[in-house]
């Protein structure tokens, strides 16, 4: 199989057009069409459906498209690793950070650390939902992601990083601060009747909240579903309702406005942060370096959190 032919095929599917792909690839359209026909002959399968609007992949074409992306990505990584052997690490590394989680707090420290240690690495940061990030890693289009949850998905592996307790964040009228300045505790039963602002049901944080309420045979009183942290913050500050967030995000929101936060107990709700990786695609040398920096940053954050927890316990 010709690698160049695979690159042509991927570009055709990406653009959905033979004409558009020919222009981008700087090749005559009849020649590109011939390359596609040769590929279909090699596989003895029809790979695309041609219409006046463009081309769409068949079921077989989609399978080849996914494999071709993986093959080409591995080839590019091999070329990069060989070229950079004995030199400074260089190349592109992609990492996903789930918004509204402790992962999002890693963005700026990660950028600074990578620039300081490996200035020739171009870091691509994608802040998106965990399900989207997982799919990108599975398809070989992203190196790694920091997100909540440990879903059992073929093709993916999860490296545990840390666990965070969940907090109720409310408008100022529900202050809830102890005399030592630390957040007070609140039981789940005290939240039953509160107006809550939560993400949609596919969000990991929402799933944890729903599961806790379900065990108590109750349903959270959700008055709005909000994914944007900026909108969520504004809504809580405006007194529209309260929200439930992991500790790192709750502290960040509490520090940015006149809101209160309380640690949820009876039961305690915890969110587990993990590094998601492909279980079958090896990381490039630059990606391995970025992975080590991520683990170091999370370790530092965990140490600070542990000290804070110990101080809080001692003051109690």
């Amino acid at each position: 199989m010709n690698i160049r032919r695979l690159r042509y095929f991927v570009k055709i599917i990406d653009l959905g057009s033979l004409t558009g792909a020919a222009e981008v690839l700087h090749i005559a359209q009849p020649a590109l069409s011939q390359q596609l026909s040769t590929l279909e002959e090699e596989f003895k399968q029809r790979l695309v459906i041609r219409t006046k609007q463009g081309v769409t992949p068949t079921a077989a074409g989609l399978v080849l498209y996914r494999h071709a992306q993986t093959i080409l990505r591995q080839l590019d990584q091999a070329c990069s690793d060989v070229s950079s052997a004995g030199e400074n690490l260089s190349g592109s590394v992609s990492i996903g950070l789930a918004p509204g989680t402790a992962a999002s707090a890693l963005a700026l420290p990660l950028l600074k650390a990578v620039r300081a240690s490996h200035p020739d690495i171009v870091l691509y940061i994608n802040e998106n939902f965990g399900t989207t990030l997982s799919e990108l890693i599975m398809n070989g289009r992203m190196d790694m992601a920091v997100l909540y949850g440990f879903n059992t998905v073929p093709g993916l592996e999860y490296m545990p990083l840390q666990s965070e307790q969940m907090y109720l964040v409310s408008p100022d009228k529900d202050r809830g601060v102890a005399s030592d300045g630390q957040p007070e505790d609140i039981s789940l039963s005290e939240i039953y009747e509160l107006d809550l602002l939560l993400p949609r049901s596919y969000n990991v944080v929402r799933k944890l909240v729903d599961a806790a309420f379900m065990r108590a045979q109750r349903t959270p009183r959700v008055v709005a579903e909000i994914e944007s942290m900026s909108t969520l913050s504004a809504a809580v500050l405006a007194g529209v309702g309260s929200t439930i967030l992991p500790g790192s995000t709750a502290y960040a929101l509490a520090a940015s406005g006149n809101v209160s936060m309380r640690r949820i107990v009876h039961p305690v709700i915890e969110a587990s942060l993990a590094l998601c990786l492909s279980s079958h695609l090896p990381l490039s040398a630059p990606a391995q370096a970025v992975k080590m920096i991520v683990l170091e940053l999370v370790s530092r954050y965990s140490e600070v959190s542990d000290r804070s927890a110990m101080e809080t316990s001692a003051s109690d």
Side-chain angles (χ1 to χ4, degrees):
M1 188 187 303
N2 189 293
I3 292 296
R4 182 178 61 180
R5 200 168 290 142
L6 278 183
R7 291 193 187 278
Y8 288 168
F9 176 72
V10 168
K11 186 59 67 176
I12 291 169
I13 302 303
D14 282 342
L15 298 179
S17 166
L18 274 166
T19 302
E23 291 177 358
V24 171
L25 294 168
H26 304 292
I27 181 175
Q29 183 175 331
L32 183 60
S33 181
Q34 181 58 48
Q35 292 287 343
L36 178 58
S37 296
T38 301
L39 200 58
E40 289 181 321
E41 289 174 8
E42 288 179 349
F43 282 100
K44 296 180 175 57
Q45 290 271 12
R46 189 178 184 185
L47 300 174
V48 301
I49 299 172
R50 309 184 193 206
T51 67
K52 292 181 179 180
Q53 289 72 37
V55 297
T56 55
T58 62
L62 279 174
V63 172
L64 177 60
Y65 177 68
R66 288 195 294 268
H67 281 288
Q69 285 181 311
T70 300
I71 292 168
L72 295 174
R73 181 168 176 267
Q74 286 185 293
L75 180 61
D76 290 341
Q77 284 185 356
C79 292
S80 176
D81 290 350
V82 171
S83 298
S84 61
E87 301 176 0
N88 291 335
L89 291 176
S90 62
S92 298
V93 177
S94 54
I95 180 169
L97 301 175
T101 70
S104 58
L106 290 174
L108 186 55
L110 180 60
L111 276 171
K112 290 181 176 179
V114 171
R115 289 294 301 153
S117 301
H118 308 287
D120 293 329
I121 290 179
V122 178
L123 192 63
Y124 167 56
I125 296 178
N126 184 345
E127 293 197 32
N128 215 318
F129 300 115
T131 51
T132 301
L133 298 177
S134 299
E135 289 173 3
L136 290 173
I137 294 172
M138 194 183 311
N139 295 332
R141 302 178 68 180
M142 180 165 286
D143 293 305
M144 68 194 84
V146 182
L147 41 77
Y148 284 130
F150 296 90
N151 298 321
T152 303
V153 180
L156 296 177
E157 64 179 39
Y158 293 84
M159 180 181 297
L161 296 177
Q162 66 177 54
S163 293
E164 288 192 286
Q165 291 190 7
M166 306 291 276
Y167 286 74
L168 175 74
V169 182
S170 303
D172 184 47
K173 60 181 181 179
D174 300 319
R175 196 69 186 151
V177 178
S179 58
D180 60 0
Q182 296 295 330
E184 292 180 344
D185 292 343
I186 185 171
S187 65
L188 189 67
S189 60
E190 297 176 79
I191 304 176
Y192 290 162
E193 303 304 322
L194 293 182
D195 292 340
L196 295 178
L197 311 171
L198 296 174
R200 303 210 74 178
S201 58
Y202 51 73
N203 184 284
V204 172
V205 171
R206 174 64 181 274
K207 287 180 179 179
L208 291 171
V209 173
D210 285 348
F213 272 80
M214 186 178 297
R215 286 192 292 271
Q217 299 183 332
R218 299 295 295 259
T219 301
R221 185 175 173 178
V222 180
V223 298
E225 295 180 322
I226 303 172
E227 300 288 357
S228 166
M229 279 304 300
S230 58
T231 302
L232 182 63
S233 301
V236 174
L237 284 167
V240 176
S242 302
T243 190
I244 297 174
L245 295 168
S248 58
T249 313
Y251 272 104
L253 178 53
S256 66
N258 195 23
V259 298
S260 65
M261 57 181 287
R262 305 184 202 181
R263 185 170 62 100
I264 299 174
V265 296
H266 309 305
V268 169
I269 308 174
E270 287 191 330
S272 298
L273 199 65
L275 181 65
C276 179
L277 303 160
S278 170
S279 60
H280 59 283
L281 296 176
L283 290 176
S284 64
Q288 283 282 6
V290 171
K291 173 188 171 183
M292 296 308 296
I293 291 174
V294 170
L295 296 178
E296 182 181 350
L297 289 174
V298 172
S299 177
R300 290 181 195 170
Y301 176 82
S302 298
E303 289 175 2
V304 171
S305 299
D306 290 344
R307 283 200 299 270
S308 176
M310 290 176 64
E311 290 169 1
T312 300
S313 177
S315 64
D316 292 342

